[in-house]
Amino acid sequence: MAQKTVNELLLDALIRHQTYLLRYSGSLRNRMNGMLARTEDTLGMLIRDKLRNATGLSSSSEVRRMEALLEAVTTLRNGAWVDANTFLLDEMAELGYQEPIHMSGVLQAVAPVVVETVLPPARQLRAIVNSRPFDGALLKDWAAGLQREDIRRIHGAIQLGMIAGEGSEAIARRVIGTNALRGTDGVLQMTRRQVEAITRTAVQHIANNARNDFTVENADVLTGEMFVATLDSGTTPVCRANDGKVFSVGK
């Protein structure tokens, strides 16, 4: 069997690394969702305690009771979101810093000669997280949006349950879901799905930008970049057409 070229070895290493990045984003998702999940027992207790013997919104006292509950829910979830979002931003900052170091190490490992590489400045890598938007917003704004939407959904479920005259147990199930379905039938499931989407997208955004910055810094070593697409039923026509094409560095 013919010995692989340096480019083929580099491609193999980067594909393996991409698999690891997908696993890493899954780990981030689990960690963030775990931080939020620790509030669920308390959230259920708050709903059951503060709405015990509630009769819907039939009086001003019931409205005040609901408002007190919504305030307590906001405080509880905001505390968890501060921890989760701080964790995400810190992890992404570290990923942006480590990705060029990994790229340099891969080049050193596959090249037949010693390759001198340059790492992008730390300030430039920090800007990937703090100053470069993806899908129209910065990562911190996406994180803040997740937090707002989560609390809005919980508030909406509580209000809807009270308007419908549901008891505290039914409202708690509306928010948290049932044990039989592992909570997937509650409004918190939407938050879990959104956390998964944002962690996966953020990891790819940060890693891609950090690698691009590394590539541009080392344009004297890397003569081009090949577009590599996963060719399956979900691949767009544009990606299919570009698969295998070689572009100038940074283009």
Side-chain angles (χ1 to χ4, degrees):
M1 185 173 64
Q3 186 174 359
K4 289 188 174 183
T5 66
V6 171
N7 284 337
E8 289 171 335
L9 292 172
L10 179 59
L11 176 59
D12 288 347
L14 294 181
I15 290 174
R16 284 196 302 272
H17 184 59
Q18 182 66 19
T19 302
Y20 298 147
L21 287 176
L22 290 172
R23 294 176 181 174
Y24 172 58
S25 69
S27 174
L28 294 181
R29 172 204 64 205
N30 292 340
R31 291 280 299 277
M32 289 183 68
N33 279 332
M35 294 175 188
L36 297 172
R38 287 196 286 271
T39 68
E40 290 182 14
D41 286 344
T42 304
L43 181 57
M45 290 172 55
L46 279 172
I47 294 172
R48 295 182 185 96
D49 289 346
K50 291 189 177 294
L51 298 184
R52 185 179 290 114
N53 301 321
T55 58
L57 296 176
S58 57
S59 66
S60 58
S61 62
E62 292 294 331
V63 173
R64 288 194 298 271
R65 191 203 299 219
M66 182 187 70
E67 290 173 345
L69 171 59
L70 297 182
E71 183 176 351
V73 165
T74 300
T75 300
L76 175 67
R77 290 295 277 189
N78 275 342
W81 273 110
V82 167
D83 293 340
N85 285 339
T86 299
F87 166 75
L88 176 62
L89 292 170
D90 288 347
E91 285 288 323
M92 291 302 93
E94 184 65 17
L95 175 63
Y97 179 76
Q98 291 294 335
E99 197 66 13
I101 296 174
H102 175 266
M103 282 290 296
S104 179
V106 169
L107 281 175
Q108 301 292 346
V110 302
V113 296
V114 176
V115 178
E116 296 289 340
T117 59
V118 178
L119 296 179
R123 179 183 299 177
Q124 180 177 330
L125 295 174
R126 285 195 298 270
I128 297 173
V129 178
N130 300 324
S131 306
R132 296 189 195 176
F134 61 95
D135 291 343
L138 297 175
L139 178 58
K140 64 179 181 180
D141 298 325
W142 281 112
L146 286 180
Q147 180 175 347
R148 287 193 303 271
E149 285 299 302
D150 171 68
I151 294 172
R152 181 192 62 76
R153 279 191 295 271
I154 297 173
H155 283 193
I158 292 171
Q159 292 166 336
L160 185 60
M162 291 198 72
I163 291 171
E166 295 176 350
S168 60
E169 285 291 342
I171 295 175
R173 287 194 299 271
R174 181 188 286 272
V175 173
I176 300 170
T178 60
N179 290 332
L181 294 177
R182 299 183 178 181
T184 57
D185 50 340
V187 299
L188 297 184
Q189 181 64 12
M190 177 60 74
T191 296
R192 299 183 194 105
R193 289 199 294 265
Q194 289 186 339
V195 167
E196 178 177 12
I198 198 66
T199 51
R200 184 173 60 245
T201 304
V203 165
Q204 296 305 321
H205 167 70
I206 301 301
N208 287 340
N209 274 266
R211 284 196 299 268
N212 288 342
D213 286 3
F214 174 85
T215 302
V216 171
E217 289 285 346
N218 295 278
D220 57 332
V221 176
L222 303 168
T223 58
E225 296 178 274
M226 179 181 287
F227 191 105
V228 180
T230 301
L231 300 177
D232 57 23
S233 61
T235 310
T236 66
V238 171
C239 289
R240 287 179 182 277
N242 282 321
D243 184 48
K245 290 183 179 180
V246 177
F247 296 85
S248 301
V249 171
K251 302 298 182 181

